């Protein structure tokens, strides 16, 4: 297997022989890809300000070759030229007082998911110039909630109006906003065109907001899922609240918190098989599971989640019947989880955490003998009993595991055949990486809470550019020391990495995977603001 490695220096060869045991274990080789423009401060005060760049998504248009789109929660949506490695600001969402961007009430100071939280290109972007974003606003901030184009005159806002926020029971703090953008010339690297607010949702707190969004990459023109948008809304931290007025929000079908939603953003798409939403801005497919349930939000596709902040589609090129939507959801005190998302299914939170019972005091225990959850639409549960659906991946809050699952992908790229059919994912806090065989995940989706996919630890091989030239590549147990070294090399002054960590008190590695249009993997961290490419897999 070692002959797949690039030519090594003498020092590396010596190192390799002493580390050959480590390399016999699954190892991903990384190469630094690009350094994000710094939007944080090396001597920042709050935990968000300390992050050198809150890089949050990397997307590439279908058929794209020369550029990728990269978003930073602090406001910028960039286009990166893949050849020159130059960033151009495509749109800037941060229009806080004195800032040049679009949204006056964008909130970025506190809360991991606050700011420009979600971004996804329409599958037909290259032709129609459409893309979708989610961002978080604090209604208490000064200024209008209408977009300000005074510094972006090519954004035409003449017809723009906001929508009534979809109601959420209980005390409220922020609002999540979904916007459709239409660039009249998608071939250049500047934005010129229009925007439409599609949806606005009330959120109980600044935690677990409206966030990730995705189109089914396997859907083609004419398919029922073509240009149908899946998006997730976290529970606004309602489910862990001791306030009984909001604790059931992830279970209640009359609000959007703790849900995965499915809508048709374009009013002209699937007209015969859908109805126009309450606010008139998008369509709801007729086959959504709760369109006929009185009092239920028709946008809901699945529910009972805490913070399903990363969605991805697992695509099996050999058998499309195996294609699944996967949600990675951050746990409360005990379990990190990945779920296969099924239409209409109840994923249990806040009555379950992982494959255990979650009690009102937020500790977990064994499942009840009769494992049922009542259907609840409004204030009180109904008499209808449902069986909750359990995770296919689960790991515990432990320094060897983590306490905050990041994103994951089933690899379908060309560059690293050894990774095909494997689901690789991160923990945000510890920076640890694992893989599961996708077939094991499908097998664990069996209705049995006790069966989950086997997890395999993944190590990392990386050449620290700040080491002496002959130091060579080293093997790392996790991304944590890699990010830590790069954070300090970029001038970060915090002795520990920014972000909360209740496990080892060293901060957060804050590492996520993303994929380009070819399915090739990238790892990026908010801590050091660096994107790295996965270039090789050894020992898989
Ligand atoms: Ca353009
Ligand atoms: Ca199972």
């Amino acid at each position: 297997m070692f002959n797949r490695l690039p030519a090594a220096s003498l020092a590396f060869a010596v190192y390799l022989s002493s580390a050959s045991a480590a390399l016999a274990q699954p190892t991903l080789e990384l190469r630094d890809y690009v350094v994000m423009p710094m939007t944080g401060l090396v001597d920042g005060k709050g935990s968000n300000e300390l992050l050198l760049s809150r890089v949050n998504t990397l997307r590439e248009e279908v058929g794209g070759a020369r550029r990728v789109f990269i978003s930073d929660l602090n406001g910028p949506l960039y286009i990166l030229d893949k050849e020159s490695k130059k960033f151009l600001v495509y749109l800037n969402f941060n229009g806080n007082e004195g800032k040049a961007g679009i949204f006056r009430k964008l909130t970025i100071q506190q809360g991991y998911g606050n700011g420009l939280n979600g971004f996804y290109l329409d599958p037909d972007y290259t032709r129609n110039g459409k893309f979708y974003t989610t961002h978080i606003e604090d209604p208490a901030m000064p200024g209008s909630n209408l977009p300000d184009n005074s510094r972006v005159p090519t954004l035409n806002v003449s017809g723009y109006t906001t929508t009534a926020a979809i109601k959420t029971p209980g005390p409220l703090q922020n609002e999540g906003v979904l916007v459709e953008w239409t660039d009249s010339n998608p071939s250049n690297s500047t934005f010129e065109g229009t925007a439409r607010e599609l949806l606005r949702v009330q959120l109980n707190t600044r935690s677990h907001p409206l966030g990730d969004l995705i189109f089914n990459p396997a859907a083609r023109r004419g398919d029922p899922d073509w240009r149908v948008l899946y998006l997730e809304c976290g529970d606004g931290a309602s489910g862990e609240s001791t306030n009984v007025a909001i604790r059931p929000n992830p279970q209640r079908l009359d609000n959007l918190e703790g849900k995965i939603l499915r809508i048709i953003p374009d009013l002209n798409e699937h007209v015969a098989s859908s109805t126009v939403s309450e606010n008139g801005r998008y369509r709801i497919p007729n086959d959504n599971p709760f369109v006929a349930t009185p009092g239920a939000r028709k946008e809901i596709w699945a529910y009972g989640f805490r913070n399903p902040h990363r969605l991805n589609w697992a695509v099996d090129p050999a058998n499309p019947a195996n294609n699944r939507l996967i949600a990675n959801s951050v746990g409360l005190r005990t379990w990190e989880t990945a779920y296969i998302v099924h239409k209409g299914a109840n994923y249990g939170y806040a009555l379950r955490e992982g494959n255990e019972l979650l009690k009102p005091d937020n500790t977990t225990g064994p499942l009840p003998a009769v494992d049922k959850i009542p259907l609840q639409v409004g204030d009180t549960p109904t008499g209808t009993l449902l069986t909750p659906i359990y995770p296919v991946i689960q790991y515990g809050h432990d320094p060897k595991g983590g306490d905050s699952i990041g994103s994951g992908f089933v690899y379908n790229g060309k560059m690293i055949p050894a990774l095909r059919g494997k689901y690789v994912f991160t923990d945000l806090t510890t920076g640890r990486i694992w893989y599961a065989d996708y077939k094991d995940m499908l097998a664990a989706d069996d209705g049995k809470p006790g069966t989950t996919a086997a997890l395999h630890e993944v190590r990392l091989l990386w050449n620290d550019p700040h080491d002496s030239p002959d130091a060579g590549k080293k093997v790392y147990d996790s991304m944590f020391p890699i990010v830590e070294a790069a954070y300090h090399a970029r001038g970060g002054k915090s002795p520990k990495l920014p972000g909360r960590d209740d496990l080892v008190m060293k901060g957060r590695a804050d590492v996520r995977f993303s994929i380009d249009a070819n399915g090739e993997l990238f790892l990026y961290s908010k801590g050091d603001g660096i994107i790295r490419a996965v270039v090789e897999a050894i020992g898989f």
Side-chain angles (χ1 to χ4, degrees):
M1 67 189 89
F2 296 142
N3 62 2
R4 297 182 56 83
L5 287 166
S9 69
L10 179 63
F12 173 54
V14 170
Y15 181 76
L16 186 60
S17 68
S18 66
S20 56
L23 281 178
Q25 294 179 299
T27 305
L28 295 178
E29 184 179 350
L30 307 179
R31 194 166 297 156
D32 285 12
Y33 180 72
V34 75
V35 178
M36 296 291 298
M38 205 179 286
T39 57
L41 295 171
V42 292
D43 55 354
K45 301 288 182 283
S47 63
N48 281 353
E49 200 177 75
L50 276 164
L51 297 161
L52 297 187
S53 140
R54 293 172 69 216
V55 49
N56 204 39
T57 61
L58 179 154
R59 316 283 194 202
E60 189 174 16
E61 71 230 84
V62 176
R66 59 187 173 82
R67 61 183 183 181
V68 287
F69 296 75
I70 299 172
S71 67
D72 178 327
L73 281 147
N74 286 337
L77 171 58
Y78 302 101
I79 292 181
L80 173 73
D81 184 303
K82 288 162 78 171
E83 292 300 315
S84 69
K85 296 284 176 72
K86 285 211 169 69
F87 286 92
L88 286 170
V89 176
Y90 189 45
L91 286 174
N92 180 6
F93 281 57
N94 186 356
N96 290 176
E97 276 188 315
K99 296 290 197 301
I102 297 166
F103 294 107
R104 292 279 170 259
K105 292 174 182 291
L106 186 83
T107 174
I108 59 172
Q109 297 302 329
Q110 291 178 290
Y112 293 124
N114 286 326
L116 167 55
N117 197 22
F119 161 65
Y120 211 86
L121 292 161
D122 188 290
D124 214 12
Y125 171 81
T126 304
R127 286 205 282 186
N128 66 22
K130 289 185 189 295
F131 60 94
Y132 298 89
T133 59
T134 57
H135 73 271
I136 312 303
E137 296 186 359
D138 178 352
M141 288 173 71
S144 165
N145 60 6
L146 288 166
D148 182 337
N149 70 343
S150 56
R151 308 281 189 95
V152 201
T154 56
L155 166 62
N156 177 358
V157 294
S158 57
Y160 195 104
T161 54
T162 56
T163 60
I166 293 172
K167 295 214 175 319
T168 296
L172 301 168
Q173 185 164 31
N174 286 348
E175 291 179 353
V177 187
L178 173 68
V179 178
E180 176 190 75
W181 305 84
T182 306
D183 187 336
S184 58
N185 179 8
S187 66
N188 64 12
S189 292
T190 52
F191 184 88
E192 46 282 311
T194 56
R196 258 185 349 119
E197 180 172 313
L198 297 189
L199 175 154
R200 179 176 284 267
V201 56
Q202 297 176 334
L203 299 163
N204 291 125
T205 73
R206 61 170 70 95
S207 298
H208 316 163
L210 183 74
D212 207 9
L213 58 174
I214 192 169
F215 291 96
N216 181 343
R220 296 292 174 260
R221 198 178 303 277
D223 291 347
D225 237 13
W226 170 248
R227 299 188 66 219
V228 175
L229 183 69
Y230 293 79
L231 71 158
E232 60 83 19
C233 187
D235 78 338
S238 58
E240 65 212 71
S241 176
T242 53
N243 178 353
V244 294
I246 67 171
R247 193 174 171 97
N249 283 355
Q251 284 291 316
R252 288 176 62 155
L253 291 174
D254 64 350
N255 71 85
L256 300 186
E257 281 189 339
K259 312 296 189 312
I260 290 168
L261 315 174
R262 179 177 182 251
I263 65 170
I264 302 161
D266 188 333
L267 288 166
N268 298 314
E269 193 68 67
H270 300 297
V271 172
S273 58
S274 64
T275 56
V276 174
S277 65
E278 195 176 57
N279 69 12
R281 299 292 174 94
Y282 52 94
R283 305 189 73 91
I284 293 174
N286 289 343
D287 63 343
N288 268 15
F290 302 109
V291 292
T293 304
R297 294 298 317 184
K298 295 174 170 47
E299 296 88 347
I300 297 171
W301 181 249
Y303 70 109
F305 296 98
R306 181 173 182 265
N307 188 16
H309 70 125
R310 292 292 153 165
L311 303 177
N312 67 86
W313 277 94
V315 173
D316 181 350
N319 184 1
N322 284 338
N323 294 356
R324 297 285 188 276
L325 178 64
I326 296 176
N328 287 9
S329 186
V330 177
L332 176 53
R333 292 189 187 162
T334 315
W335 297 113
E336 296 306 303
T337 52
Y339 298 92
I340 288 178
V341 178
H342 295 284
K343 171 181 174 177
N346 183 342
Y347 289 81
Y349 192 74
L351 300 170
R352 302 287 183 273
E353 186 184 347
N355 61 7
E356 290 191 296
L357 180 74
L358 183 64
K359 302 177 203 169
D361 67 357
N362 287 335
T363 62
T364 59
L367 293 174
V370 178
D371 185 17
K372 297 285 184 186
I373 286 179
L375 177 75
Q376 183 165 357
V377 178
D379 282 332
T380 48
T382 68
T384 304
L385 294 177
L386 309 163
T387 304
I389 303 295
Y390 289 98
V392 295
I393 282 175
Q394 172 166 324
Y395 63 93
H397 285 200
D398 179 288
K400 292 274 185 192
D403 66 4
S404 189
I405 192 170
S407 55
F409 292 89
V410 172
Y411 182 81
N412 268 321
K414 294 187 175 64
M415 201 165 65
I416 315 174
L419 279 183
R420 287 197 191 131
K422 293 182 173 14
Y423 183 74
V424 291
F425 65 98
T426 66
D427 183 83
L428 296 175
T429 302
T430 59
R432 289 186 181 277
I433 293 171
W434 299 266
Y435 82 83
D437 283 310
Y438 182 49
K439 63 176 171 46
D440 289 350
M441 293 168 67
L442 289 170
D445 190 27
D446 55 0
K448 296 175 188 163
T451 55
T452 55
L455 302 186
H456 310 274
E457 286 183 20
V458 174
R459 287 159 202 254
L460 301 152
L461 185 65
W462 180 62
N463 187 354
D464 186 340
H466 298 282
D467 274 352
S468 64
D470 61 351
K473 299 168 187 170
K474 290 180 192 157
V475 179
Y476 296 84
D477 281 346
S478 78
M479 282 299 293
F480 197 100
I482 295 174
V483 174
E484 195 174 36
Y487 169 77
H488 288 125
R490 287 192 77 187
K493 293 201 175 9
S494 172
K496 59 177 202 142
L497 281 173
R500 202 182 76 191
D501 145 43
D502 297 329
L503 294 170
V504 285
M505 304 302 178
K506 287 173 63 187
R508 284 160 76 102
D510 228 325
V511 176
R512 292 162 178 78
F513 278 111
S514 194
I515 53 171
D516 67 10
N518 293 323
E520 301 304 341
L521 285 164
F522 293 83
L523 271 166
Y524 58 90
S525 168
K526 295 175 188 169
D528 61 9
I530 295 178
I531 301 176
R532 298 180 174 88
V534 177
V535 297
E536 183 57 286
I538 306 126
F540 281 80

